[in-house]
């Protein structure tokens, strides 16, 4: 298993993010020195970025890019379930832009809040259909460009659909697209899943990426999540992909990144 860290690109505007922020060259240098092998990039709108410059900077530090996050697109209020067809079309186009950006590295990209919510009562069926059509559209587009597309189940504080890993597995199975998988986030799982280990084992072949954050969303080791059990479950299913540290930057990004890799590397070395 390889370790990466969540890094926000300069187009992100939110004041609070679960990412390392700052000059990309400096951030990459710090993470590489700590022993990280990759960076997971968080972007609000890839069209506002200098792709070639970003690629050169990351390559200069010998880091990989395993995944791109579409999470910051929520800053622009784009969702696949919006009742306005123009907003839905803009959300799909933004997801295509993420795929194009991810294709520079052969990276994966994942969908979180951009999937949208589903209202109670009237409109629920339409919202679900819009969401499913959006996922299938981006999965197909990603397949044509060599980019895997992942659903990230997120807890009730982030939305009202696809909250648990079990929900995510059922959704991906229903859509049955070969380019659609799951990213499991231990923070969200701690809230919504009965057992982190059991859910990871159940995800099996659909599990293409993992996010680590402790129960309080701080670095691994700062809360009560049993990361040894989590890593043992991943080992059991033969997971040999990436783990990204995506968490609150407490007390600051350099400290959080250093403590996270120290904890997880020690656990991996002891297995």
């Amino acid at each position: 298993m390889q370790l990466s860290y969540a890094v926000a690109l300069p187009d992100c505007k939110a004041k609070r993010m679960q990412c390392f922020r700052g000059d990309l060259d400096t951030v990459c240098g710090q993470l590489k020195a700590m022993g990280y092998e990759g960076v997971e990039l968080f972007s609000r709108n890839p069209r506002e970025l200098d792709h070639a410059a970003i690629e050169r900077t990351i390559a200069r530090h010998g880091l990989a890019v395993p995944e791109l996050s579409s999470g910051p697109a929520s800053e622009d209020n784009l969702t696949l379930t919006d009742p306005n067809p123009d907003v839905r079309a803009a959300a799909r186009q933004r997801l295509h832009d993420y795929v194009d950006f991810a294709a520079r590295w052969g990276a994966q990209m994942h969908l979180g809040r951009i999937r949208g919510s589903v209202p109670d009562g009237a409109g629920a069926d339409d919202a679900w259909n819009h969401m499913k059509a959006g996922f299938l559209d981006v999965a197909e587009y990603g397949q044509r460009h060599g980019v895997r597309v992942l659903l990230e189940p997120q807890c009730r504080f982030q939305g009202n659909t696809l909250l648990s890993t079990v929900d995510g597995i059922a959704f991906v199975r229903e859509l049955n697209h070969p380019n659609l998988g799951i990213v499991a986030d231990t923070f969200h799982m701690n809230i919504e899943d009965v057992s982190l280990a059991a859910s990871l084992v159940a995800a099996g072949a659909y599990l293409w990426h993992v996010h680590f954050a402790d129960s309080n969303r701080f670095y691994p080791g700062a809360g009560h999540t049993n990361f040894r059990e989590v890593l043992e479950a991943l080992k059991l299913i033969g997971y040999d992909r990436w783990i990204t540290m995506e968490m609150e930057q407490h007390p600051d990004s350099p400290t959080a990144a250093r403590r996270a890799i120290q904890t997880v590397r020690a656990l991996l070395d002891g297995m």
Side-chain angles (χ1 to χ4, degrees), residues 20-235:
F20 208 132
R21 304 183 79 160
D23 174 72
L24 184 62
D25 187 56
T26 301
V27 169
C28 287
Q30 289 179 285
L31 292 173
K32 179 68 173 182
M34 292 179 199
Y36 285 95
E37 298 152 292
V39 287
E40 180 172 331
L41 302 179
F42 283 60
S43 166
R44 180 185 59 82
N45 185 353
R47 292 194 177 196
E48 297 180 3
L49 298 169
D50 185 336
H51 295 193
I54 291 169
E55 187 175 17
R56 287 195 301 270
T57 298
I58 294 171
R60 186 161 58 247
H61 293 280
L63 292 166
V65 178
E67 184 159 287
L68 265 70
S69 170
S70 65
S74 62
E75 297 173 28
D76 292 332
N77 299 312
L78 295 178
T79 72
L80 294 174
T81 60
D82 195 285
N84 185 332
D86 292 337
V87 175
R88 296 197 304 274
R92 288 196 188 191
Q93 181 57 60
R94 181 68 59 85
L95 290 170
H96 286 195
D97 293 341
Y98 283 113
V99 168
D100 293 340
F101 193 23
R104 299 188 75 96
W105 295 276
Q108 303 179 141
M109 63 83 64
H110 75 262
L111 287 72
R113 281 179 288 178
I114 196 171
R115 66 177 175 264
S117 59
V118 174
D120 293 329
D125 288 345
D126 284 344
W128 274 114
N129 289 334
H130 293 322
M131 187 190 300
K132 291 174 184 177
F135 266 93
L136 289 172
D137 172 74
V138 69
E140 189 65 28
Y141 186 80
Q143 187 172 46
R144 295 199 300 270
H145 292 79
V147 174
R148 281 179 153 184
V149 174
L150 286 68
L151 158 69
E152 181 182 26
Q154 295 179 326
C155 73
R156 67 196 74 178
F157 306 114
Q158 300 283 81
N160 69 350
T161 63
L162 307 176
L163 308 181
S164 70
T165 307
V166 174
D167 294 339
I169 295 168
F171 184 78
V172 170
R173 281 178 174 164
E174 179 185 353
L175 295 189
N176 193 31
H177 194 286
N179 199 45
L180 186 59
I182 289 175
V183 51
D185 185 302
T186 58
F187 169 74
H188 296 297
M189 294 177 72
N190 177 68
I191 296 171
E192 301 293 347
D193 287 73
V194 176
S195 164
L196 275 68
S199 292
L200 292 169
V201 171
Y206 295 109
L207 186 64
W208 296 347
H209 198 74
V210 178
H211 286 163
F212 269 14
D214 217 318
S215 54
N216 50 12
R217 217 171 196 183
F218 292 169
Y219 54 86
H224 63 244
T225 299
N226 187 337
F227 282 98
R228 180 180 297 279
E229 183 180 78
V230 169
L231 289 168
E232 287 174 346
L234 293 175
K235 185 176 180 181

